[in-house]
Amino acid sequence: GINAEYMEAGRILTLKDLGGRLELDEQDSPSRKRKRPAADQNAMEDAWNSEEPAVKKQKTNAASSGRIRHYAKHKPKTAKDIIGIIPKEKKELLRFPLDWDVVEKAQIVEVTMRKWIDARIQEYLGEAEADLTDFVVGLLVNRTKPKSIIDEMAMVLVEDAEAFVIKMWRRLIFETLKTSYKIS
């Protein structure tokens, strides 16, 4: 299966195993503006990239799986509702409980996140890096904690590693909740 691609002799491959350290040039910095396709995508990207503090916590309810808690009074009906559930504060975001059974069953990492990861890596490094995309996908497949992913990615993305992982984790939470609540 897919886990075999990311393991070698019983251990998970590290970035060092993938061929050394890659550096970002000033011109390849992800801080430069890029065009975004549609208005709906703009709203979702703005929400994911928001650095605003989290709104006051509302009554905690359980999602359909019973394991995902959120801060909404009612079941979300739209993508915008889901974005409102996702914590804005880094600490809370990185501790958000993912329903890994939903992630695996819906193949969220392979089907959705792989494309997103590949696009973001191209944005950060200025070119496609299939090995790095495979590496990050492998970390998600193996349910690696976000803090460990930040540490691994710091070798490649340096100071942008934390921002990359925070955006990735927001997207993973969004896609998981979207699947859990059957929102298209």
Side-chain angles (χ1 to χ4, degrees):
I2 187 159
N3 290 343
E5 293 178 41
Y6 309 106
M7 297 187 71
E8 179 178 272
R11 70 179 185 87
I12 297 174
L13 295 174
T14 66
L15 286 175
K16 289 178 185 174
D17 298 327
L18 294 176
R21 183 182 171 117
L22 298 171
E23 297 283 341
L24 275 177
D25 293 333
E26 291 290 326
Q27 64 195 21
D28 293 332
S29 174
S31 61
R32 60 182 157 70
K33 299 280 183 199
R34 71 182 199 281
K35 290 184 180 180
R36 292 186 175 136
D40 289 342
Q41 186 67 21
N42 285 346
M44 290 194 316
E45 288 283 338
D46 290 345
W48 287 319
N49 296 332
S50 173
E51 297 297 329
E52 297 171 16
V55 293
K56 185 175 179 179
K57 288 183 184 178
Q58 298 171 353
K59 183 178 177 182
T60 302
N61 299 319
S64 58
S65 71
R67 295 193 323 192
I68 298 177
R69 71 171 201 278
H70 58 80
Y71 305 102
K73 289 182 180 180
H74 305 288
K75 178 182 172 185
K77 294 180 173 89
T78 66
K80 189 173 183 177
D81 293 342
I82 290 174
I83 291 168
I85 293 171
I86 300 171
K88 303 264 187 271
E89 292 180 13
K90 177 183 119 179
K91 191 173 184 179
E92 196 175 336
L93 175 78
L94 299 181
R95 285 192 288 182
F96 194 91
L98 280 173
D99 188 338
W100 287 104
D101 293 336
V102 170
V103 172
E104 288 177 4
K105 186 176 180 183
Q107 297 182 344
I108 292 171
V109 172
E110 271 300 327
V111 173
T112 305
M113 294 305 296
R114 176 177 286 282
K115 292 175 198 168
W116 185 92
I117 291 164
D118 191 49
R120 295 299 88 66
I121 287 173
Q122 284 183 5
E123 178 183 321
Y124 280 92
L125 300 178
E127 62 185 355
E129 284 288 338
D131 288 340
L132 185 56
T133 298
D134 290 344
F135 175 72
V136 176
V137 167
L139 292 173
L140 293 179
V141 165
N142 287 303
R143 301 180 181 189
T144 305
K145 301 250 184 254
K147 176 65 177 127
S148 297
I149 298 173
I150 291 169
D151 294 342
E152 288 287 340
M153 295 305 292
M155 298 170 71
V156 174
L157 299 179
V158 193
E159 69 273 357
D160 294 319
E162 186 173 284
F164 172 83
V165 174
I166 287 170
K167 289 175 186 178
M168 178 179 71
W169 212 253
R170 276 192 182 123
R171 182 65 184 246
L172 182 58
I173 292 168
F174 174 81
E175 295 297 337
T176 303
L177 291 175
K178 189 171 100 171
T179 300
S180 294
Y181 288 114
K182 297 173 177 52
I183 295 173
S184 49

